Amino acid sequence: MSFTSLRFLGFVLVVAILYFTLFRKCQWFLLLLASIAFYMFSGPKYIVYISITAVTTYLFAGKIQKLHDREKKIIGKHDFSKEKKKSIKKQFTAKRKVWLLLDLVINLGMLCVIKYMDFALRGMSAVLAKFGVDWSKSVSFVLPLGISFYTFMTVGYILDVYWKRYRAEKNILKLALFTSYFPHIVQGPIGRYNKLAEQFNQRYKFDYDRVKKGLLLMLWGYFEKMVIADRLAIFANGVYAKWDEVTGLPLVLAIIFFSMQLYLDWTGCMDIARGVSQIFGIELERNFWHPYFSKNMPEFWRRWHISLSTWFKDYVYIPLGGNRDGKYKQIRNILIVWLLTGIWHGANWTFLIWGLLFGILLIIEKIFLNKFMEKLPSFIRRIYVLFIVMILFVIFNSDNMSNALINIKGLFGMNGEVFINDYTLHYLKSYLPILIIAIFGATPFIKTLIDKLRKNKYLNNIINILEPILIVIILFVVTSYLIDNSYNPFLYFRF
């Protein structure tokens, strides 16, 4: 069930009515039923995978929690020596580690087999072919909805239980809700159990202001996705469809359009998800915060896909040692994180290289470039980030590295073609309005300007008059796109 369908809006409406009426005393249970129903629309057979993840995580986290409790009880009951306590803790740690590893093998293993097995087999076939061995194997899986997201959420949960950050959930149905909660199952954000469980356990009355805020957030998300991102995609996809023929300014425009499309497509989905969740009183974390306004690479990744960046920081980078064990180990840890970040996005060499290049750039900035960059004006630093990010998005959006390199050469007019032609100027004029809207939508400029204007009483009154008119116009435009919408999935849906 696509977020950009009338069926989804009808689904949310029915769930919301039941949520504030018949299910007032067990609202979390309705959200679970709704999440299961939503997931079943993606294909009933895929419910098996998410069920395995939820059940195994519940059972193994429960085993780990019981071992925590037994260890505490045994040590608390007896006056053991330090050596004896250390020995007991070591024994219990070993047992807990078995359950943790079992969970990781099952759930990360399931993700790897489904998402990466074909890539691995094709790679092995290519290597063997170099030695004259004809061994051609392939296997194809359809990715279950949200598997990359819910796997990381449950892995984060069981690691937190293992590290005693909080206790394991006793109710398997509540853990199942955390795993499958329908607003964030499609494209995140990658939720944290301790932040969501407390909200799921509360009861919520119908609050007009909260519901209105959620609906407006949804409306803006639909505008970002359907009105801006999907229009930008028409030009970008058209250019990339004939990548071997296009060079110069058309390619420059295509990568600018794609970069804006990717951001507005994903943040549009996030705003729809956050808006729906806000109607129910559940606050999802913001996953983007004007990343194209960043002044260096670390800041970009503090603003882009925030939940994924913080997940890798908390569950990979810091456990590996972070920056605690010297410069060389820190560099190693950064490269591991960014290798995994690239692989997480997809089973292709382009994603792996894209991730590694970001890691290398972060290392270069950390070692020496930041000292130089800090002396430059802010707008120069922002241009630098945009330039690097958009070049790397050429790799991200390419089927293979050969195509990526041809496109990168073409960006600089190195393919022997004219940089600017009548075709380019025609499309630039045609798409300039939507590009301007996209640029304003991707920066905090409009919000900052409105906040400043509101300080003037007269201008504030004018804004209060114009605001509902603008909302009605956006609502009319979005509704027309929803009614006439052909299926155009979110870009990150494939991850």
Side-chain angles (χ1 to χ4, degrees):
M1 189 191 305
S2 171
F3 275 14
T4 56
S5 67
L6 292 173
R7 178 188 289 180
F8 175 73
L9 292 177
F11 175 78
V12 172
L13 178 62
V14 171
V15 174
I17 291 171
L18 294 173
Y19 188 79
F20 294 114
T21 55
L22 299 180
F23 285 82
R24 282 178 298 177
K25 293 185 178 180
C26 52
Q27 291 172 325
W28 70 268
F29 186 66
L30 173 67
L31 292 179
L32 174 61
L33 295 177
S35 299
I36 293 170
F38 178 84
Y39 205 87
M40 293 289 281
F41 272 105
S42 72
K45 62 181 178 181
Y46 299 122
I47 201 77
V48 174
Y49 297 106
I50 195 170
S51 298
I52 291 171
T53 296
V55 171
T56 53
T57 302
Y58 171 78
L59 292 174
F60 300 151
K63 292 287 187 182
I64 291 170
Q65 186 62 59
K66 286 180 181 177
L67 288 168
H68 280 317
D69 294 341
R70 281 181 60 196
E71 178 190 333
K72 185 178 178 181
K73 187 176 181 181
I74 289 171
I75 291 176
K77 265 190 173 184
H78 302 89
D79 188 19
F80 293 119
S81 65
K82 285 185 179 180
E83 288 300 319
K84 182 64 175 176
K85 284 182 181 180
K86 188 176 179 181
S87 174
I88 291 171
K89 286 180 179 181
K90 189 175 180 180
Q91 291 173 27
F92 275 99
T93 299
K95 291 177 182 178
R96 286 192 292 268
K97 199 169 286 185
V98 169
W99 291 113
L100 174 65
L101 290 175
L102 190 56
D103 180 85
L104 297 181
V105 166
I106 291 173
N107 291 306
L108 289 178
M110 187 161 56
L111 172 65
C112 290
V113 168
I114 293 170
K115 194 169 181 178
Y116 306 109
M117 178 64 80
D118 186 58
F119 174 66
L121 290 174
R122 284 188 284 110
M124 288 175 63
S125 299
V127 170
L128 291 172
K130 298 283 186 182
F131 297 95
V133 179
D134 184 15
W135 187 82
S136 181
K137 297 287 182 181
S138 65
V139 62
S140 180
F141 291 101
V142 177
L143 277 180
L145 179 68
I147 187 170
S148 298
F149 294 95
Y150 70 68
T151 300
F152 270 35
M153 286 192 296
T154 52
V155 167
Y157 161 77
I158 198 166
L159 284 170
D160 285 341
V161 172
Y162 178 80
W163 290 325
K164 300 182 184 179
R165 290 176 176 168
Y166 44 74
R167 295 183 62 82
E169 174 59 63
K170 294 181 180 179
N171 188 330
I172 189 172
L173 297 181
K174 289 186 177 181
L175 185 63
L177 172 58
F178 165 71
T179 307
S180 64
Y181 184 47
F182 77 89
H184 73 185
I185 193 67
V186 177
Q187 289 184 199
I190 300 171
R192 301 294 178 95
Y193 172 80
N194 59 325
K195 293 181 179 179
L196 286 172
E198 186 178 341
Q199 296 186 73
F200 288 145
N201 289 328
Q202 295 179 27
R203 291 183 188 176
Y204 299 92
K205 294 180 180 179
F206 181 86
D207 184 292
Y208 173 79
D209 290 332
R210 188 188 70 235
V211 171
K212 175 187 170 185
K213 189 177 177 182
L215 290 171
L216 288 176
L217 192 55
M218 287 176 65
L219 180 62
W220 178 243
Y222 281 115
F223 185 79
E224 289 173 303
K225 160 64 179 169
M226 303 182 74
V227 181
I228 308 178
D230 287 356
R231 299 317 100 198
L232 294 171
I234 295 171
F235 177 80
N237 293 343
V239 171
Y240 275 107
K242 43 187 178 180
W243 58 269
D244 54 341
E245 302 173 16
V246 182
T247 187
L249 189 58
L251 267 178
V252 174
L253 291 176
I255 192 57
I256 292 172
F257 277 41
F258 173 75
S259 300
M260 291 298 174
Q261 177 204 354
L262 183 63
Y263 169 70
L264 291 166
D265 185 282
W266 203 0
T267 194
C269 178
M270 292 297 102
D271 286 342
I272 295 169
R274 289 172 59 228
V276 170
S277 193
Q278 198 166 70
I279 291 171
F280 303 127
I282 312 295
E283 293 286 340
L284 296 180
E285 291 186 39
R286 187 162 192 159
N287 215 16
F288 294 86
W289 185 248
H290 304 300
Y292 294 148
F293 213 61
S294 305
K295 290 179 281 190
N296 53 54
M297 290 302 160
E299 183 184 1
F300 176 82
W301 281 101
R302 288 194 297 269
R303 292 168 172 264
W304 180 281
H305 204 343
I306 299 166
S307 63
L308 181 67
S309 302
T310 55
W311 193 95
F312 275 117
K313 176 187 172 185
D314 293 343
Y315 299 111
V316 179
Y317 180 70
I318 292 175
L320 283 173
N323 59 1
R324 298 190 303 271
D325 300 320
K327 185 185 293 183
Y328 294 109
K329 285 190 177 179
Q330 183 184 12
I331 290 172
R332 178 205 67 182
N333 297 340
I334 291 172
L335 289 175
I336 290 171
V337 164
W338 286 98
L339 174 67
L340 293 174
T341 301
I343 292 172
W344 181 90
H345 282 84
N348 197 318
W349 285 107
T350 53
F351 292 122
L352 189 149
I353 292 168
W354 171 81
L356 278 178
L357 287 174
F358 258 119
I360 292 167
L361 281 166
L362 286 162
I363 291 167
I364 291 171
E365 285 195 8
K366 190 174 288 288
I367 293 174
F368 70 89
L369 191 58
N370 264 345
K371 295 176 183 177
F372 169 74
M373 292 291 294
E374 286 172 359
K375 298 174 183 177
L376 298 176
S378 293
F379 80 94
I380 296 291
R381 295 163 67 187
R382 290 191 173 104
I383 290 172
Y384 151 76
V385 171
L386 280 171
F387 176 78
I388 296 296
V389 167
M390 289 184 181
I391 292 293
L392 292 180
F393 275 154
V394 174
I395 299 173
F396 184 91
N397 196 39
S398 298
D399 294 329
N400 54 64
M401 283 306 299
S402 297
N403 292 359
L405 292 174
I406 290 171
N407 285 334
I408 290 171
K409 286 171 65 179
L411 286 173
F412 301 98
M414 295 168 63
N415 288 346
E417 300 291 336
V418 178
F419 191 80
I420 301 175
N421 54 35
D422 293 337
Y423 165 84
T424 308
L425 294 174
H426 168 71
Y427 274 95
L428 180 58
K429 290 175 184 177
S430 301
Y431 285 91
L432 188 60
I434 198 72
L435 179 60
I436 292 170
I437 294 172
I439 291 170
F440 281 128
T443 64
F445 176 76
I446 296 294
K447 186 179 184 304
T448 303
L449 178 62
I450 291 173
D451 289 341
K452 287 182 178 179
L453 293 176
R454 282 191 178 278
K455 293 177 181 178
N456 183 292
K457 187 177 179 181
Y458 175 73
L459 293 175
N460 185 53
N461 291 333
I462 293 176
I463 291 171
N464 289 336
I465 294 170
L466 294 177
E467 187 177 51
I469 297 172
L470 180 61
I471 290 170
V472 170
I473 292 172
I474 293 175
L475 179 61
F476 176 79
V477 173
V478 167
T479 302
S480 66
Y481 276 105
L482 277 168
I483 292 171
D484 192 37
N485 184 43
S486 56
Y487 181 62
N488 194 5
F490 292 95
L491 289 176
Y492 260 75
F493 182 81
R494 57 181 168 166
F495 306 131

